């Protein structure tokens, strides 16, 4: 079983739609959580951290459910520029090593 | 802005060749990482380093070695390249948890 699992997609949505991705992790001792974004043929970049209380950054909302060991990312009012692969990332050991999920591909269509 | 650079965007090598991939960061980060990214497998950690001359194995170190003689530079070495090492190689650096990635080197071993 993978340590961080994501539905690879692709999720095909029209502009303006709301889309949500989930990610599950296997290690209950996980310390911190992130979403990274990776555009086609580009490097991953941090999108947002995920806090226990949930957090929002504009159209993006991230939530953490420790009891069920999953993380979610909600994107409201999707834009064409949101098309990318979204990587769920977990830090297990409170050090600086991150474990990456395989990514969920989002395609926003006009 | 953090800048992580990698020596080549594309590289083609023959089986059995020794291959050097170079990574340089300009933000005085302590931590540096080498990953490979393959379709369906996501990012997998090969080696990382917390300080000059220090190195730790990641999840898939077999067939690779690393060198960190200066803080800003982290090199990945394929001692004898094999076709199953054809992949996208990504270098990253971090001060704490957020990792900054270089643009990647797409290595093809024929």
């Amino acid at each position: 079983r993978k340590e961080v699992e994501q539905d690879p997609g692709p999720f095909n949505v029209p502009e303006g739609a709301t889309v949500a991705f989930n990610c599950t992790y296997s290690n209950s001792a996980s310390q911190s959580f992130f979403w990274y974004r990776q555009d086609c043929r580009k490097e991953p970049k941090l999108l947002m951290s995920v806090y226990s209380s949930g957090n929002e950054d504009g159209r993006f909302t991230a939530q953490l459910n420790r009891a069920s060991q999953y993380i979610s990312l909600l994107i409201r009012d999707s834009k064409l520029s949101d098309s990318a692969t979204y990587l769920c990332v977990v830090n297990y050991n409170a050090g600086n090593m991150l474990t990456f999920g395989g990514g969920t591909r989002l395609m926003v269509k006009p | 802005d953090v800048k992580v650079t990698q020596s080549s965007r594309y590289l083609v090598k023959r089986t059995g060749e020794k291959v050097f991939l170079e990574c340089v960061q300009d933000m005085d980060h302590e931590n540096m990482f080498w990953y490979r990214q393959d379709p369906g497998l996501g990012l997998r950690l090969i080696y990382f380093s917390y300080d000059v001359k220090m190195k730790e194995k990641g999840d898939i170190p077999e067939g690779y070695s690393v060198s960190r003689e200066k803080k800003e530079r982290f090199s990945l070495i394929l001692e004898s390249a094999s076709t199953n090492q054809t992949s996208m190689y990504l270098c990253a650096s971090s001060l704490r948890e957020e990792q900054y990635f270089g643009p990647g080197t797409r290595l093809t071993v024929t």
Side-chain angles (χ1 to χ4, degrees):
Chain A
R1 185 186 168 190
K2 292 182 182 176
E3 293 183 46
V4 180
E5 291 208 59
Q6 297 182 249
D7 182 339
F11 284 58
N12 294 297
V13 302
E15 269 187 292
T18 295
V19 60
F21 311 133
N22 285 337
C23 158
T24 58
Y25 60 94
S26 59
N27 190 332
S28 59
S30 298
Q31 303 286 330
S32 46
F33 310 87
F34 310 90
W35 284 101
Y36 276 64
R37 171 192 168 129
Q38 186 173 20
D39 292 309
C40 188
R41 296 190 176 86
K42 298 279 194 177
E43 70 273 20
K45 293 184 180 179
L46 179 66
L47 177 66
M48 59 197 304
S49 301
V50 186
Y51 304 121
S52 297
S53 54
N55 50 302
E56 191 172 308
D57 183 2
R59 297 181 294 106
F60 297 82
T61 301
Q63 296 210 307
L64 168 64
N65 184 318
R66 283 191 184 270
S68 301
Q69 294 180 206
Y70 79 79
I71 307 146
S72 64
L73 177 68
L74 181 79
I75 306 174
R76 288 180 299 278
D77 189 23
S78 299
K79 311 290 185 193
L80 295 177
S81 57
D82 294 333
S83 297
T85 296
Y86 292 84
L87 305 172
C88 176
V89 185
V90 175
N91 182 338
Y92 286 113
N93 60 4
N96 293 306
M97 281 178 57
L98 304 178
T99 299
F100 289 78
T104 296
R105 190 169 170 212
L106 171 66
M107 297 178 69
V108 182
K109 307 280 175 102
Chain B
D1 266 0
V2 177
K3 195 165 183 187
V4 181
T5 56
Q6 295 184 227
S7 49
S8 306
R9 291 301 304 271
Y10 300 94
L11 209 52
V12 179
K13 294 292 181 181
R14 293 191 183 276
T15 300
E17 279 192 81
K18 190 168 186 175
V19 182
F20 293 88
L21 302 182
E22 303 284 339
C23 175
V24 178
Q25 50 95 2
D26 66 357
M27 282 302 292
D28 201 36
H29 284 171
E30 305 287 340
N31 311 305
M32 295 189 75
F33 308 83
W34 274 107
Y35 296 88
R36 63 179 282 177
Q37 186 173 31
D38 301 286
L41 298 175
L43 274 85
R44 293 180 292 167
L45 182 64
I46 305 171
Y47 268 96
F48 61 100
S49 169
Y50 286 144
D51 202 350
V52 175
K53 296 195 186 294
M54 294 187 70
K55 59 185 179 184
E56 298 283 345
K57 292 180 180 179
D59 299 318
I60 51 163
E62 297 79 18
Y64 303 94
S65 61
V66 289
S67 172
R68 192 155 180 212
E69 297 296 319
K70 294 185 178 181
K71 192 174 187 179
E72 68 270 19
R73 188 179 296 269
F74 192 34
S75 302
L76 179 70
I77 302 147
L78 287 66
E79 295 290 342
S80 177
S82 62
T83 54
N84 63 12
Q85 292 179 309
T86 292
S87 186
M88 170 67 81
Y89 289 88
L90 288 158
C91 173
S93 74
S94 76
L95 189 58
R96 286 178 285 277
E97 284 183 310
E98 180 178 359
Q99 292 187 11
Y100 299 86
F101 285 84
T105 296
R106 183 162 293 283
L107 172 68
T108 303
V109 183
T110 61

